[in-house]
């Protein structure tokens, strides 16, 4: 049965409005009161949807989230609005006017595409998920541009559309997150075949950790981060085959591969640059370091060092004040001496967990000073670099 159906009735919609801002701590009391006038199942469904809407604000914004309908998996797996809007704009600029959105989920990407003026066929085989996508298109006034179809995407004819967008399932109820692209549902090979048939362009959403060797030669690969967090990787077809890029949102700011060799390893300078995650995932550390002639602190570590400060959107700069061999007792004494009360721990190339070091090195604050400690390797040696972000 479609669990959303009762919520789409006038009684269900009125109940959703009533429980919209319910504090989770007050749910039991609110449910007890409402069940005097409404069926228990409807009250439970409304409160559950209210919780999902509250969680969805981070991805969709308060205005859209308050009107949309969600499933638990839909909230977790849907694309952040800013990322979906960026991708939709790329397709619009490529001349796309219609898209077959395969594995559409609750419709987050379909919504972004429609808002870009693109006609969308949104397909998902799960009845409840497809119902949510249909309800969302209607709730946001986009049903004229979005057709939702409950079907197996591998059986859908996409020949009448300029482009295809495929967001295959990368999680399993039994195995959790799936890392093998051929274990996606549908498999990456099927999605690539569908993409190559698209008349204008295609985009395939994949996991950011996909091996570069799994990227087809016909594709452009793009890693996207939003607010410093890597959100996804996209394989583009019909754009620039063989190109690799890292895109940072908001912006967008895009770093494009130029085939540069890895930066040389050099001694730690005054500044340490921590590349954005999309830069690291796309293997574009050399391109990020090139403008300020940065070098690596270790051939296997994606930290860049330089003697001069050069503003860059692709990395966060830290001024390094101390370099120590890994030694918790020495670090603890140094933090006490400098009256440190706030300790930020970052690691790359170290087996030590940041929370473990924080607990041992700063069991209690000694003052108001703050410091960032990098647990890493310098020329192969376990090292602690102390510093602070450059404002």
């Amino acid at each position: 049965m479609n669990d959303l159906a009762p919520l789409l009735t006038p009684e269900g919609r009125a109940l959703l409005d009533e429980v919209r801002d319910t504090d989770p701590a007050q749910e039991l009391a609110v449910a007890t009161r409402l069940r005097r006038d409404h069926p228990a199942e409807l009250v439970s469904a409304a409160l559950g949807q209210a919780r999902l809407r509250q969680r969805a604000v981070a991805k969709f914004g308060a205005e859209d989230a308050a009107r949309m309908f969600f499933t638990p998996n839909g909230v977790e797996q849907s694309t952040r609005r800013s990322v979906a809007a960026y991708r939709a704009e790329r397709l619009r600029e490529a001349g796309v006017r219609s898209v077959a959105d395969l594995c559409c989920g609750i419709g987050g990407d379909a919504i972004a595409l429609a808002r870009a003026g693109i006609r969308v066929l949104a397909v998902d085989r799960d009845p409840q998920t497809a119902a949510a996508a249909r309800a969302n298109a209607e709730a946001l006034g986009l049903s004229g541009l979005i057709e939702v179809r409950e079907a197996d995407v591998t059986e859908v004819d996409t020949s009448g559309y300029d482009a295809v967008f495929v967001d295959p399932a990368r999680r399993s109820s039994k195995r959790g997150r799936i890392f093998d692209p051929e274990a996606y549902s549908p498999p990456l090979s099927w999605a690539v075949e569908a993409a190559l048939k698209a008349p204008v362009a295609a985009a395939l959403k994949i996991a950011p950790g996909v091996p570069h060797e799994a990227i087809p030669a016909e594709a452009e690969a793009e890693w996207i981060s939003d607010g410093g967090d890597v959100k996804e990787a996209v394989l583009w077809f019909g754009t620039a085959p063989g190109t690799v890029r890292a895109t940072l949102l908001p912006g967008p700011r895009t770093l494009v591969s130029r085939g540069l060799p890895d930066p040389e390893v050099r001694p730690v300078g005054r500044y340490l640059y921590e590349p954005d995650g999309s830069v690291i995932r796309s293997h574009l550390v050399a391109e990020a370091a090139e403008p300020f002639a940065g070098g690596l602190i270790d051939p296997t570590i994606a930290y860049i060092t330089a003697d001069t400060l050069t503003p860059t959107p692709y990395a966060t700069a830290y001024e390094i004040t101390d370099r120590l061999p890994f030694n918790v007792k020495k670090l603890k004494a140094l933090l006490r001496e400098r009256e440190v009360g706030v300790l930020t721990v970052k690691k790359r190339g170290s087996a030590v967990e940041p929370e473990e070091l924080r607990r041992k090195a700063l069991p209690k604050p000694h003052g108001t000073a703050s410091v960032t400690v990098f647990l890493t390797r310098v020329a192969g040696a376990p090292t602690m670099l102390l510093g602070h972000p450059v404002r």
Side-chain angles (χ1 to χ4, degrees):
M1 293 182 60
N2 181 356
D3 293 336
L4 290 178
L7 296 177
L8 300 176
T9 64
E11 182 183 9
R13 292 180 185 275
L15 199 55
L16 279 173
D17 289 339
E18 187 171 350
V19 302
R20 173 177 174 174
D21 299 317
T22 300
D23 185 331
Q26 300 300 316
E27 274 193 8
L28 181 58
V30 171
T32 300
R33 174 175 58 81
L34 292 175
R35 284 170 181 165
R36 298 169 187 158
D37 302 309
H38 303 280
E41 294 81 0
L42 181 60
V43 172
S44 296
L47 286 170
Q49 192 61 220
R51 285 197 302 272
L52 293 175
R53 286 177 168 183
Q54 290 169 7
R55 287 166 53 194
V57 169
K59 283 191 174 182
F60 291 92
E63 185 177 349
D64 280 356
R67 294 186 288 167
M68 292 174 67
F69 293 85
F70 300 96
T71 64
N73 286 339
V75 172
E76 295 297 328
Q77 299 176 17
S78 57
T79 304
R80 185 181 290 254
R81 184 174 64 178
S82 56
V83 178
Y86 163 75
R87 195 189 311 104
E89 182 60 19
R90 278 205 66 181
L91 287 169
R92 188 193 68 79
E93 290 177 351
V96 170
R97 297 294 176 263
S98 60
V99 173
D101 178 3
L102 308 180
C103 309
C104 70
I106 61 166
D109 287 285
I111 290 165
L113 290 164
R115 283 175 169 169
I118 297 172
R119 180 171 59 88
V120 185
L121 169 65
V123 183
D124 202 284
R125 67 181 179 183
D126 179 72
Q128 188 174 352
T129 302
R134 190 174 294 108
N136 289 334
E138 180 182 348
L140 299 180
L142 298 170
S143 54
L145 282 171
I146 301 175
E147 174 195 348
V148 179
R149 188 180 302 173
E150 180 189 326
D152 185 329
V153 298
T154 63
E155 299 175 358
V156 174
D157 179 11
T158 63
S159 59
Y161 296 84
D162 295 338
V164 297
F165 171 67
V166 188
D167 182 6
R170 296 178 299 282
R171 290 179 182 271
S172 165
S173 58
K174 294 182 179 179
R175 295 182 292 169
R177 192 182 299 273
I178 297 172
F179 297 97
D180 178 9
E182 283 307 297
Y184 292 173
S185 179
L188 180 60
S189 57
W190 179 91
V192 169
E193 184 178 348
L196 291 173
K197 295 177 182 177
V200 179
L204 311 183
K205 181 177 173 181
I206 56 176
V210 65
H212 279 230
E213 55 269 23
I215 298 172
E218 304 93 335
E220 168 198 329
E222 180 178 33
W223 279 259
I224 303 173
S225 68
D226 187 17
D229 295 327
V230 181
K231 294 303 177 184
E232 65 180 56
V234 185
L235 300 183
W236 294 93
F237 294 81
T239 54
T243 299
V244 176
R245 66 175 67 213
T247 296
L248 282 61
L249 301 177
R253 296 177 181 270
T254 298
L255 186 66
V256 180
S257 59
R258 288 186 287 130
L260 299 180
D262 290 341
E264 293 185 0
V265 177
R266 53 150 290 175
V268 177
R270 181 176 178 181
Y271 297 99
L272 187 75
Y273 294 81
E274 181 182 27
D276 183 88
S278 65
V279 172
I280 296 172
R281 294 279 194 174
S282 57
H283 298 179
L284 296 182
V285 172
E287 281 76 2
E290 194 266 345
F292 51 89
L296 299 178
I297 63 172
D298 184 276
T300 63
I301 304 296
Y303 282 137
I304 306 167
T305 188
D307 295 317
T308 57
L309 178 63
T310 304
T312 172
Y314 304 112
T316 302
Y318 295 81
E319 185 171 10
I320 298 302
T321 57
D322 300 88
R323 171 183 170 179
L324 305 170
F326 181 79
N327 187 304
V328 177
K329 289 184 178 179
K330 286 185 178 180
L331 177 62
K332 184 176 181 179
L334 186 61
L335 297 179
R336 184 185 300 110
E337 176 187 332
R338 297 185 182 174
E339 299 182 339
V340 171
V342 179
L343 177 63
T344 301
V345 182
K346 293 176 172 288
K347 76 163 190 170
R348 187 160 292 148
S350 172
V352 179
E353 290 300 323
E355 190 54 45
E356 178 187 356
L357 180 70
R358 190 181 295 110
R359 185 175 61 252
K360 292 181 178 178
L362 192 68
K364 61 180 180 178
H366 301 295
T368 58
S370 62
V371 69
T372 298
V373 176
F374 294 89
L375 300 177
T376 187
R377 293 193 305 271
V378 174
T383 304
M384 297 184 295
L385 301 176
L386 279 65
H388 55 81
V390 177
R391 304 298 181 188

